[in-house]
Amino acid sequence: MSFFSSCKNFIIEINYQFSKPSVDASVFQVYDFSQWKLQSDSVTTKNLLEANIDWLKKARAESIHPFGVIVSSPKEIELAAKYAHFIYIPGELCRQSDILEAASQTKLPLIVERGCFLAPIDVIRVLEKLKDADVALVDCGTANGYSDTLLDPRVLFLIKKTGKKFGLHLSDLLAPEGISYTHRPNWLSDSSFIEAFVATGQALGASFYVIKSYGKAAISTEIALKYTSGKL
Amino acid sequence: MSLNKNLFPGNWDGNITHEIRLSRKKPVIMAGPCMFENREIGFQVGSFLKKKCEQLNLPFVFKSSYDKANRTSANSVRGPGVKQGLEWLKELRQELNVPILTDVHSTEQALEAGNIVDIIQIPAFLCKQRELLVAAASTGKVVQIKKGQWATPEEMLEIARFLEKCGNSKITLVERGSCFGYNNLVVDFRNLVEMHKDGHAVIFDATHSVQLPGAGCGKSSGLRHMVHPLVRAAVAVGVDGIFMEVHPNPEKALSDADTQLHMQTAEIILEDIAQILF
């Protein structure tokens, strides 16, 4: 049975490295050790996931709810699979055959983002590379010029036709990660758009929503639960 | 950085090898078959391009990939693989006496390729992968980073700053088209200017810029006839290098069949570049 079928109505909160697990059973944590630290003043040559493996062991031992880890290579997938309950693959890597194959081989549930550059019709190619893995998909929006994404109902319609559970990445829809285009208009970051995203997701069958606890499009679990309460 | 002394950030002189140097006055031609399908094709295209570039007084770097790791379809051919591919690249480098560029997809590949090639290329989809950038920087080789089709030019400058913090200032940034709706790309020539803001060398990837990603029923399609006019525009704006993929028989190529250039077309484009420059 699919992990995602048994976990209905949930929020996924992406955290940059360490954070306290949520007490709310409907919120699953995802830890991102390879977060792109553009503003970092110090550079370590260590693999950040490898360097934090003790923390991950502890998290596994103490976790009450399932949690996931964001991965960026087959090597990281091998490490993460020892401790995480599920693997999370970012959109930028959704076409990387080695990563998808390695993730599939773990037999763990996989959450895979659709890259903002990927046509929805090509999601099926991504699923083919994942073979018979237990997969849920996340739509982060479609690139719309620089530092902006559009929530396209046609994408959700086509993803739904794959038969996979899917969710919407509210933080990325509000403001894609990375350094913003210098000329990005401020009105695009209006957080009340979350309501419109959730309404669209609800209408087209989204099962869950993804938020980030850090960055310029951080959304708290309280806000996410407020907008999604009773709508999942 | 001092443009007057033709130095790049970190006081890098732009030398790829002793003979081949990046310069706006004489852009480096980075060209070769998309995939190193077999030894014969690699040497045929490499010999041809080297000879032509020498005739035109254009610096030349041979480019080819040993692994196409993000093909649209799981069933597409990926290439000879890292071991065989690097062996052929090494042979070609020695026999033709030309610098070599190839792309890498993992930290392990970056370290391995760093022992052989002159330029390590980070693919556009991987342009923000921290571990890969750290590994590529550690080789001390020139690191060429392709701009993600969704990424801003500002992000590319931040990535370059990150590489510099890793101790490697030998950086080139590549424009290869920006997302323009689904299955389509557009070249934003402003990026050639924006990515040069910190003084880094900027390369224009002429053949990937005309791709129609995933538009060919399970593979990428493209607009090959657009390569020549876009190259002319890029040279006019100002770049340190032109990147293009060339194949003896593009229609039969195992990858990027709709965008790789016929050798005769590549010859015409190279002659045109020389005419614009000199």
Side-chain angles (χ1 to χ4, degrees):
Chain A
M1 183 184 176
S2 167
F3 170 82
F4 302 106
S5 296
S6 60
C7 304
K8 288 174 186 166
N9 308 343
F10 57 103
I11 300 283
I12 287 180
E13 183 185 36
I14 300 178
N15 300 287
Y16 171 42
Q17 294 197 16
F18 317 111
S19 72
K20 286 183 182 172
S22 168
V23 290
D24 192 320
S26 64
V27 180
F28 295 158
Q29 309 287 323
V30 168
Y31 301 107
D32 186 358
F33 293 95
S34 56
Q35 158 65 8
W36 173 247
K37 292 196 295 177
L38 290 172
Q39 306 297 345
S40 169
D41 288 329
S42 63
V43 172
T44 172
T45 53
K46 285 181 187 168
N47 179 293
L48 295 177
L49 178 56
E50 206 169 0
N52 290 298
I53 214 73
D54 286 342
W55 185 88
L56 213 50
K57 277 182 196 170
K58 191 166 174 275
R60 176 71 189 215
E62 296 174 3
S63 67
I64 305 165
H65 307 305
F67 69 85
V69 170
I70 290 185
V71 292
S72 65
S73 67
K75 186 182 163 192
E76 287 192 355
I77 289 168
E78 196 183 330
L79 282 172
K82 290 178 184 167
Y83 309 104
H85 298 91
F86 58 92
I87 301 288
Y88 193 105
I89 299 175
E92 289 168 14
L93 304 179
C94 73
R95 283 176 58 123
Q96 299 300 316
S97 303
D98 290 341
I99 289 175
L100 298 177
E101 283 164 18
S104 175
Q105 281 166 12
T106 66
K107 303 294 179 194
L108 287 176
L110 310 176
I111 298 182
V112 183
E113 290 181 353
R114 178 184 73 91
C116 63
F117 49 80
L118 190 79
I121 204 75
D122 289 331
V123 168
I124 200 75
R125 311 278 176 198
V126 174
L127 293 173
E128 280 169 6
K129 290 182 185 179
L130 290 164
K131 296 177 180 159
D132 57 354
D134 182 13
V135 182
L137 297 162
V138 176
D139 189 47
C140 307
T142 298
N144 181 43
Y146 300 123
S147 300
D148 188 34
T149 53
L150 288 180
L151 177 54
D152 182 349
R154 294 173 299 182
V155 172
L156 306 189
F157 178 74
L158 287 172
I159 287 180
K160 193 176 181 184
K161 280 175 78 172
T162 66
K164 301 293 180 188
K165 294 278 181 187
F166 70 94
L168 298 189
H169 198 313
L170 299 177
S171 292
D172 272 5
L173 286 165
L174 202 55
E177 73 168 34
I179 303 300
S180 284
Y181 180 55
T182 308
H183 308 291
R184 186 179 200 261
N186 290 333
W187 68 267
L188 290 172
S189 300
D190 183 347
S191 60
S192 64
F193 290 150
I194 294 171
E195 190 176 358
F197 300 146
V198 172
T200 308
Q202 181 198 9
L204 289 157
S207 302
F208 61 95
Y209 294 89
V210 181
I211 55 172
K212 277 184 178 170
S213 66
Y214 60 89
K216 59 181 176 288
I219 298 172
S220 68
T221 51
E222 290 74 24
I223 293 285
L225 288 166
K226 181 188 127 190
Y227 281 113
T228 59
S229 178
K231 294 179 180 173
L232 285 161
Chain B
M1 180 202 52
S2 166
L3 290 175
N4 293 335
K5 291 178 183 172
N6 200 23
L7 286 178
F8 294 94
N11 281 336
W12 179 39
D13 57 12
N15 276 357
I16 296 167
T17 61
H18 290 303
E19 296 84 25
I20 304 294
R21 183 179 187 172
L22 289 158
S23 162
R24 303 222 133 195
K25 290 178 184 167
K26 204 192 275 187
V28 173
I29 305 302
M30 301 174 176
C34 175
M35 182 195 293
F36 211 138
E37 295 175 18
N38 58 54
R39 197 179 179 283
E40 190 188 356
I41 283 181
F43 275 74
Q44 183 187 356
V45 175
S47 306
F48 171 80
L49 291 170
K50 187 198 175 192
K51 190 177 166 194
K52 195 68 207 173
C53 286
E54 276 176 354
Q55 283 172 3
L56 297 168
N57 194 24
L58 290 169
F60 171 61
V61 172
F62 178 80
K63 174 275 147 185
S64 200
S65 303
Y66 53 77
D67 182 15
K68 309 306 289 180
N70 55 32
R71 301 297 302 266
T72 303
S73 168
N75 300 321
S76 297
V77 178
R78 286 184 52 166
V82 62
K83 192 172 174 230
Q84 179 66 79
L86 287 177
E87 207 170 291
W88 283 340
L89 285 168
K90 190 177 176 182
E91 275 179 45
L92 192 142
R93 187 179 191 278
Q94 283 168 350
E95 288 189 30
L96 299 187
N97 190 28
V98 292
I100 300 292
L101 176 157
T102 199
D103 44 352
V104 296
H105 311 89
S106 68
T107 55
E108 295 81 7
Q109 282 186 15
L111 299 175
E112 207 169 339
N115 291 323
I116 290 168
V117 306
D118 301 280
I119 303 178
I120 293 179
Q121 181 167 276
I122 308 291
F125 289 137
L126 305 180
C127 71
K128 288 165 47 172
Q129 295 306 311
R130 183 191 177 283
E131 310 299 344
L132 185 57
L133 292 168
V134 170
S138 75
T139 64
K141 295 295 175 76
V142 177
V143 181
Q144 173 148 302
I145 314 161
K146 289 202 171 183
K147 188 181 89 61
Q149 297 88 326
W150 68 95
T152 64
E154 288 89 343
E155 279 177 289
M156 297 309 293
L157 294 178
E158 281 298 331
I159 291 166
R161 286 170 200 142
F162 179 80
L163 269 191
E164 286 183 88
K165 282 181 191 168
C166 293
N168 191 338
S169 298
K170 294 191 271 184
I171 299 162
T172 63
L173 302 175
V174 183
E175 166 63 27
R176 51 93 74 231
S178 298
C179 288
F180 188 63
Y182 297 117
N183 307 114
N184 202 358
L185 298 172
V186 68
V187 178
D188 182 353
F189 284 98
R190 297 175 301 180
N191 290 338
L192 301 181
V193 179
E194 292 291 329
M195 291 199 295
H196 188 55
K197 259 184 180 170
D198 287 354
H200 292 295
V202 174
I203 313 297
F204 176 60
D205 177 348
T207 43
H208 287 107
S209 289
V210 301
Q211 266 186 341
L212 299 173
C217 298
K219 64 186 182 74
S220 287
S221 181
L223 307 169
R224 187 167 22 236
H225 67 286
M226 286 291 173
V227 173
H228 194 168
L230 292 182
V231 166
R232 289 181 65 92
V235 173
V237 172
V239 286
D240 301 276
I242 295 287
F243 178 109
M244 51 193 200
E245 294 184 332
V246 182
H247 194 280
N249 188 357
E251 287 78 10
K252 300 275 183 194
L254 299 179
S255 61
D256 289 8
D258 290 341
T259 54
Q260 292 199 66
L261 298 171
H262 295 90
M263 287 158 75
Q264 304 90 310
T265 313
E267 186 173 18
I268 292 166
I269 292 174
L270 290 172
E271 284 170 358
D272 201 23
I273 292 171
Q275 199 167 23
I276 294 168
L277 291 170
F278 314 127

